[in-house]
Amino acid sequence: IADGIAIDWGWPVTTITLKGVSIDNTEGSPEPKMLELESGRIGLDVSELLTFEIAFSEILLDKPKIVLEKDKNGNGNWSFGKNPEGAVAAEAIEPENDGDIPTIGRILIRDGVLRYKDAAKKTDLTMK
């Protein structure tokens, strides 16, 4: 859900501006939102899409609140597929496959909070 999304189509960089973004958390979580973002700006290098690569010139986030959690079975709230158990298990990235990771020129986070919770490991970390 977002209050506002604006796209400034440009070449080689298209700018996406976001305002009031939120993503609901998984059912049964005591935290109602997985993500809340006051505002943000993402610069997407569309020229890289021609080579099937994803590259962000910049990612600027204002007051993001992110809650990443795993339940007692190890399922993460960031797994949006039908098979969350398989989606949570991350494979090691081989050096020859590093193109699978988007390139990010610059990240700026202002007044952000990241919380990581793992029920099975009884872990609850908050980073500000």
Side-chain angles (χ1 to χ4, degrees):
I1 299 173
D3 290 340
I5 298 175
I7 300 176
D8 181 12
W9 298 100
W11 183 267
V13 176
T14 290
T15 303
I16 303 163
T17 305
L18 307 165
K19 190 170 189 152
V21 175
S22 69
I23 298 175
D24 288 343
N25 210 342
T26 54
E27 190 175 314
S29 172
E31 301 289 335
K33 300 289 181 189
M34 175 186 170
L35 169 75
E36 292 180 275
L37 176 65
E38 186 173 289
S39 64
R41 187 173 70 227
I42 301 168
L44 176 64
D45 189 339
V46 291
S47 66
E48 290 292 325
L49 294 176
L50 297 173
T51 61
F52 302 102
E53 299 292 331
I54 297 175
F56 300 102
S57 60
E58 67 178 4
I59 298 175
L60 307 173
L61 305 175
D62 286 315
K63 298 183 180 176
K65 294 178 186 174
I66 303 167
V67 177
L68 301 176
E69 0 176 39
K70 285 186 176 181
D71 63 18
K72 62 184 179 197
N73 298 319
N75 300 320
N77 66 339
W78 59 87
S79 302
F80 297 110
K82 291 183 180 181
N83 182 11
E85 293 87 358
V88 169
E91 295 181 23
I93 297 171
E94 302 289 329
E96 62 270 15
N97 294 333
D98 63 358
D100 294 340
I101 298 174
T103 302
I104 301 172
R106 177 175 92 135
I107 297 178
L108 177 61
I109 300 171
R110 294 183 201 128
D111 299 322
V113 177
L114 171 64
R115 186 170 183 193
Y116 175 76
K117 297 166 59 175
D118 187 329
K121 294 182 181 176
K122 297 180 181 169
T123 302
D124 191 342
L125 301 169
T126 300
M127 294 169 270
K128 296 182 180 185

